[in-house]
Amino acid sequence: MKFLITGGAGFMGSNFIRYILNKYPEHEVVNLDKLTYAGNLENLKDVETNTRYEFVKGDIADEKVVDQVMQKGIDQIVNFAAETHVDRSIHGAKSFIMTDVFGTYNLLEAAKKYKTQKYIQVSTDEVFGSTEDGEFYEDTAFEPNSPYSASKAGGDHLVRAYWKTYDLPTVVTHSCNFYGPYQYPEKLIPLFVTNLIEGKKIPVYGDGQQVREWIFVPDYCRALDTVIQKGEIGEVYNIGSGYRKANLEITNIILGLMGQGNDMIEYVKDRPGHDKRYAVNSDKLRKLGWKPDVQFEQGIKDTVEWYKENELWWKRLKSGEYLDYYKKQYG
Ligand code: DAU
């Protein structure tokens, strides 16, 4: 089986590539990644010489590159490539629309042209908007509130349309918030941990009472694998851990693990359009035989340790050093 994994140099893509290569000795992976600020081949150093792995620098919004990659004999596409950070989308939505909507369209067209066995869309629970006290189900109506989630929703709608209109064999996943090693330190958990290591304050938006559901990356990889193996074509699956936490609760856990106090918190202006609460119902996925293995308390402890032990990695990433290096190497 030959996979095209797009966005494979990012946090989730790189973890998933490592998972696939380790778990399935017969599988091959082509990683198509644009190497934006969040993409980093350092995340895949341990697999770079694997003969079943190939890296191609390129943009999913570039039809020509996508076509060239498809000529390598791709069986299945897993689309991780996306602009993902809500705050960045608030400052400028164009790159989100180009990658998350137009890029998805390009991949769908390629999957149609090359009669790909399966197209898996990696998406988010944010497309459902916010829920006060309920849960998002697979058929909950989309109500995206940020340019990011609207872009992902646009891509997801296209995936559905290609299934309905052209019988393209698609599967869509909506996941809750990820955390773990190799996450770019702009997201809540790695930003707070790295700030604290550097002696900087940690910016809590608004009152910090917003709730997110958190999944540890190895549990996520197994969940996505389950969907790829057992999910039905044309179906949608939610991926959720059940660990629902207010931002302030997470902040206090991190402060405790790092031996620091509440004085490090800085309450800052709230994110515009900030969703209050996400909670995904993942019964449909659990019926396929998956459940999370790692408790939140353990996952966050391991994550904090990883960031403490890998200072060089995130310091180089934050300073843009890798980006300059890749520009020289790949243009
Ligand atoms: O729900 C899945 C989504 O989770 C993914 O689709 C997105 O790509 C991913 O970025 C994430 O979105 P969030 O907005 O939930 O993640 P973020 O880490 O940016 O923020 C988590 C919560 O923490 C959110 O309520 C905003 C808050 N926050 C975040 C940052 C970066 C703060 O209070 N301070 C901060 O500095």
Side-chain angles (χ1 to χ4, degrees):
M1 176 78 62
K2 196 169 200 163
F3 282 99
L4 168 60
I5 298 188
T6 67
F11 164 51
M12 296 308 295
S14 61
N15 274 292
F16 193 65
I17 287 177
R18 184 175 302 101
Y19 170 93
I20 288 287
L21 291 174
N22 289 340
K23 180 156 182 213
Y24 300 103
E26 69 286 7
H27 285 1
E28 296 170 63
V29 171
V30 178
N31 169 13
L32 175 65
D33 195 294
K34 190 181 169 186
L35 295 180
T36 63
Y37 76 97
N40 184 0
L41 292 177
E42 201 66 23
N43 302 2
L44 287 162
K45 263 266 172 270
D46 52 331
V47 304
E48 125 191 309
T49 55
N50 190 319
T51 51
R52 293 180 290 119
Y53 169 76
E54 186 186 349
F55 170 69
V56 177
K57 183 180 186 290
D59 187 346
I60 61 166
D62 180 343
E63 200 182 317
K64 260 203 206 126
V65 175
V66 171
D67 199 76
Q68 280 163 10
V69 169
M70 292 305 289
Q71 287 174 26
K72 293 177 184 289
I74 302 297
D75 300 302
Q76 300 199 5
I77 300 175
V78 186
N79 181 26
F80 274 100
E83 289 291 337
T84 68
H85 198 52
V86 176
D87 299 314
R88 285 182 191 255
S89 80
I90 293 167
H91 291 113
K94 189 174 175 188
S95 62
F96 288 75
I97 293 158
M98 287 312 293
T99 303
D100 304 1
V101 185
F102 189 70
T104 299
Y105 154 76
N106 257 344
L107 290 175
L108 291 167
E109 276 294 308
K112 177 155 76 82
K113 176 175 169 190
Y114 287 90
K115 300 190 180 2
T116 304
Q117 282 172 23
K118 216 184 260 181
Y119 173 96
I120 296 108
Q121 173 79 344
V122 172
S123 190
T124 168
D125 58 1
E126 296 199 14
V127 294
F128 300 121
S130 184
T131 175
E132 267 305 310
D133 46 22
E135 291 184 316
F136 302 131
Y137 289 82
E138 281 79 2
D139 60 357
T140 299
F142 285 8
E143 281 183 0
N145 293 319
S146 72
Y148 158 66
S149 50
S151 305
K152 286 301 286 182
D156 297 352
H157 278 316
L158 281 171
V159 176
R160 176 190 158 90
Y162 271 65
W163 150 245
K164 288 282 178 187
T165 309
Y166 306 111
D167 270 337
L168 194 80
T170 61
V171 182
V172 177
T173 59
H174 296 293
S175 176
C176 64
N177 286 55
F178 322 116
Y179 71 99
Y182 298 109
Q183 188 169 31
Y184 189 85
E186 64 185 346
K187 310 287 188 204
L188 179 80
I189 291 176
L191 178 75
F192 283 15
V193 174
T194 57
N195 270 15
L196 289 170
I197 296 174
E198 290 179 307
K200 292 185 193 152
K201 295 239 178 194
I202 50 179
V204 171
Y205 296 164
D207 61 6
Q209 292 308 325
Q210 302 79 14
V211 172
R212 298 289 182 267
E213 183 165 329
W214 295 91
I215 189 164
F216 194 43
V217 67
D219 279 338
Y220 173 81
C221 290
R222 282 189 309 101
L224 185 62
D225 188 21
T226 304
V227 172
I228 293 173
Q229 300 296 326
K230 300 183 185 165
E232 274 179 49
I233 297 297
E235 287 295 321
V236 177
Y237 295 87
N238 284 346
I239 301 180
S241 64
Y243 296 111
R244 296 165 188 167
K245 310 257 172 217
N247 294 337
L248 212 50
E249 191 183 343
I250 299 211
T251 305
N252 285 323
I253 294 173
I254 293 173
L255 284 167
L257 287 169
M258 311 251 334
Q260 304 206 33
N262 284 348
D263 54 316
M264 293 308 286
I265 298 177
E266 188 179 6
Y267 289 93
V268 298
K269 203 166 158 276
D270 209 351
R271 175 187 274 173
H274 199 169
D275 286 330
K276 177 81 181 138
R277 179 175 173 272
Y278 303 147
V280 300
N281 181 295
S282 50
D283 288 351
K284 188 171 169 184
L285 166 62
R286 288 170 197 241
K287 281 191 191 124
L288 299 181
W290 173 88
K291 64 172 177 44
D293 275 348
V294 185
Q295 299 211 330
F296 183 78
E297 290 65 25
Q298 188 58 50
I300 187 90
K301 209 167 151 221
D302 293 352
T303 303
V304 168
E305 278 313 306
W306 190 88
Y307 279 90
K308 278 188 187 163
E309 283 163 15
N310 289 276
E311 249 188 77
L312 200 58
W313 177 86
W314 55 262
K315 280 196 168 148
R316 281 185 171 159
L317 202 59
K318 266 186 172 178
S319 70
E321 203 178 306
Y322 289 127
L323 213 54
D324 294 343
Y325 174 74
Y326 296 134
K327 219 172 243 160
K328 273 186 211 135
Q329 201 175 353
Y330 296 101

